[in-house]
């Protein structure tokens, strides 16, 4: 008898690999939806529906996903999955690989509460499968309406959901609370101060008026860095290096901004998204020389993108960022109790 395969696990693996390959959330949705539908059903029933060709009658299961399930149920890895598994990730050098090994979590990730493609639980399960100790959830703030930013009320509901999930998960993995808060044009932050104070990790990022004059942008960033609740300065230049949304770096006095980060204990983020790779190498070297601390983050908007830390590790190693100054090489306890400037 052939060994039975877990058809739902195969669908989720396909989705993960597509997301990792930077396919749009829309293209991946068919696999995520089918996995969610079938997860609620008994494996024997799935096998029966596969044999009788009735899978496509289930809402959320289409021709392509049904074919994958039929192959899984027959004991074969789906051809679709085999094609994706055959694509090897680009190898890293020794220093970058050592950093990948040293990272324990991810400090900048999104769920479908804002503009991510998957629910909290799916992101968390994937982070666990990747061997992380923790995952910080940092959905967008209210003014970023295009990304469905969370009102104070919605963020509070998310904090409750995270507390419940943590209670369920028990020891060994922590979901940390957080936000990617917009830095307003005047340098103030787009969320209640009292609520920011409750969060484990606050990532502050510029998402609007990226072309403002250099002096104003510097003041804007310095004001945010000065806010005692800010832990991480997200994708500091806002540049986009590939794709249809290409745009140049915003202009600011990097020496001054990084000096302030070092003094205030605000970590400079190494953003691993392939279209961002922010900061650029010359600025990353400058920040390292300025004595800054760092985080290497995926800014994942889908579970498979949680595997993008490799991109950031490659750049951090290239720019001689010391592992000791990368906060996500630390234990979660040390991360949460670190002294701030
Ligand atoms: Zn952002
Ligand atoms: Zn983000």
């Amino acid at each position: 008898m052939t060994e039975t395969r877990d058809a739902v696990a195969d669908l989720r693996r396909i989705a993960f690999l597509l997301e990792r390959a930077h396919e749009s959330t829309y293209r991946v949705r068919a696999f995520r939806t089918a996995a969610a539908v079938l997860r609620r059903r008994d494996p024997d029933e799935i096998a029966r529906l596969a044999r009788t060709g009735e899978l496509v009658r289930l809402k959320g299961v289409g021709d392509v996903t049904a074919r994958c399930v039929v192959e899984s149920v027959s004991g074969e890895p789906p051809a679709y999955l085999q094609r994706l598994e055959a694509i090897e990730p680009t190898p890293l050098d020794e220093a970058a690989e050592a950093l990948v090994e040293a990272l324990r979590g991810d400090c900048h990730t999104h769920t479908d509460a804002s503009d991510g493609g998957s629910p909290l639980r799916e992101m968390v399960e994937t982070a666990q499968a990747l061997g992380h100790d923790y995952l910080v959830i940092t959905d967008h703030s209210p003014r970023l309406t295009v990304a469905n930013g969370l009102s104070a009320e919605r963020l509070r509901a998310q904090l409750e959901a995270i507390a419940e999930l943590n209670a369920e998960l028990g020891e060994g993995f922590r979901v940390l609370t957080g936000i990617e808060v917009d830095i307003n044009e005047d340098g103030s932050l787009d969320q209640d101060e009292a609520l920011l104070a409750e969060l484990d990790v606050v990532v502050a990022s510029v998402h609007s008026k990226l072309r403002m004059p250099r002096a104003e942008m510097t003041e804007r960033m310095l004001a945010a860095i000065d806010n005692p609740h800010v832990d991480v300065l997200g994708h500091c230049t806002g540049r986009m290096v590939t794709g249809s949304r290409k745009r140049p770096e915003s202009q600011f006095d990097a020496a001054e901004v990084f000096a302030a980060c070092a003094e205030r204990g605000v970590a400079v983020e190494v953003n691993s998204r392939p279209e961002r790779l922010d900061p650029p190498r010359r600025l990353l070297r400058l920040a390292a020389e300025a004595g800054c601390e760092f985080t290497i983050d995926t800014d994942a908007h889908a579970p498979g993108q949680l595997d993008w830390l490799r991109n950031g590790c490659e750049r951090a190693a290239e720019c001689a960022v010391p592992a000791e100054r990368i906060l996500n090489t630390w234990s979660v306890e040390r991360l949460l109790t670190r002294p701030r400037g």
Side-chain angles (χ1 to χ4, degrees):
M1 184 184 152
T2 48
E3 197 188 330
T4 54
R5 292 180 64 86
D6 182 343
V8 173
D10 282 345
L11 291 175
R12 292 177 72 206
R13 178 72 184 162
I14 289 170
F16 175 90
L17 293 171
L18 287 170
E19 288 159 355
R20 191 172 74 175
H22 210 172
E23 289 292 348
S24 74
T25 302
Y26 173 77
R27 271 207 63 189
V28 184
R29 183 149 296 152
F31 293 95
R32 291 265 171 226
T33 303
V37 167
L38 295 175
R39 208 177 178 179
R40 293 194 291 268
R41 294 186 177 255
D42 185 71
D44 291 339
E45 190 199 355
I46 295 172
R48 183 178 61 75
L49 294 171
R51 277 195 306 275
T52 57
E54 288 176 289
L55 280 170
V56 286
R57 289 167 67 173
L58 299 176
K59 191 170 181 299
V61 181
D63 289 336
V64 175
T65 47
R67 195 179 320 128
C68 292
V69 173
V70 169
E71 289 166 348
S72 292
V73 165
S74 74
E76 288 293 316
Y80 201 115
L81 177 58
Q82 291 186 54
R83 278 200 302 278
L84 290 169
E85 293 281 15
I87 306 165
E88 297 279 338
T90 327
L92 298 178
D93 68 18
E94 212 175 307
E97 202 63 65
L99 270 187
V100 175
E101 289 301 309
L103 294 190
R104 296 165 176 234
D106 196 330
C107 295
H108 182 170
T109 69
H110 298 273
T111 73
D112 61 2
S114 65
D115 60 347
S118 283
L120 171 64
R121 182 178 292 270
E122 189 79 44
M123 295 297 284
V124 168
E125 286 178 358
T126 304
Q128 286 181 299
L130 286 171
H132 290 356
D133 294 344
Y134 66 88
L135 184 70
V136 187
I137 303 297
T138 57
D139 277 311
H140 289 287
S141 63
R143 285 196 201 182
L144 206 60
T145 48
V146 290
N148 192 22
L150 274 61
S151 64
E153 192 186 348
R154 289 179 62 220
L155 179 53
R156 283 188 198 286
Q158 185 181 65
L159 301 190
E160 275 175 38
I162 288 174
E164 278 169 27
L165 187 52
N166 274 325
E168 184 191 318
L169 294 173
E171 299 288 303
F173 189 90
R174 282 276 295 279
V175 189
L176 300 185
T177 61
I179 187 172
E180 180 179 17
V181 66
D182 262 51
I183 301 175
N184 297 325
E185 280 174 51
D186 63 358
S188 62
L189 301 179
D190 180 30
Q191 190 50 276
D192 299 344
E193 292 274 324
L195 189 47
L196 291 177
E198 283 180 42
L199 303 173
D200 292 322
V201 176
V202 173
V203 178
S205 308
V206 171
H207 288 119
S208 60
K209 281 273 173 96
L210 286 146
R211 311 292 287 266
M212 78 172 15
R214 177 184 163 96
E216 284 171 47
M217 183 61 94
T218 304
E219 285 310 308
R220 179 183 184 183
M221 293 170 82
L222 290 175
I225 292 161
D226 213 33
N227 185 300
H229 305 305
V230 173
D231 299 293
V232 179
L233 178 63
H235 51 69
C236 64
T237 79
R239 72 172 185 172
M240 291 283 182
V241 290
T242 57
S244 54
R245 291 163 65 213
K246 254 189 205 178
R247 66 177 174 235
E249 300 168 23
S250 59
Q251 297 299 310
F252 57 92
D253 186 331
E256 207 176 333
V257 163
F258 293 148
C261 284
E263 190 191 323
R264 301 289 292 168
V266 171
V268 174
E269 175 184 78
V270 180
N271 190 294
S272 303
R273 293 191 67 80
E275 78 277 24
R276 286 194 183 274
L277 296 174
D278 199 1
R281 291 184 186 85
R282 68 171 207 293
L283 292 186
L284 188 49
R285 287 198 185 92
L286 190 66
E289 285 160 17
C292 292
E293 291 177 323
F294 297 87
T295 57
I296 298 178
D297 298 330
T298 60
D299 196 356
H301 285 67
Q305 298 178 2
L306 289 168
D307 210 17
W308 284 351
L309 286 174
R310 300 168 60 82
N311 300 340
C313 289
E314 186 175 25
R315 297 177 74 82
E318 234 181 303
C319 297
V321 174
E324 174 56 26
R325 276 200 259 137
I326 300 168
L327 305 190
N328 40 340
T329 66
W330 300 359
S331 70
V332 73
E333 293 75 23
R334 187 173 166 205
L335 176 72
L336 294 177
T337 56
R338 81 193 175 104
R340 289 284 314 279

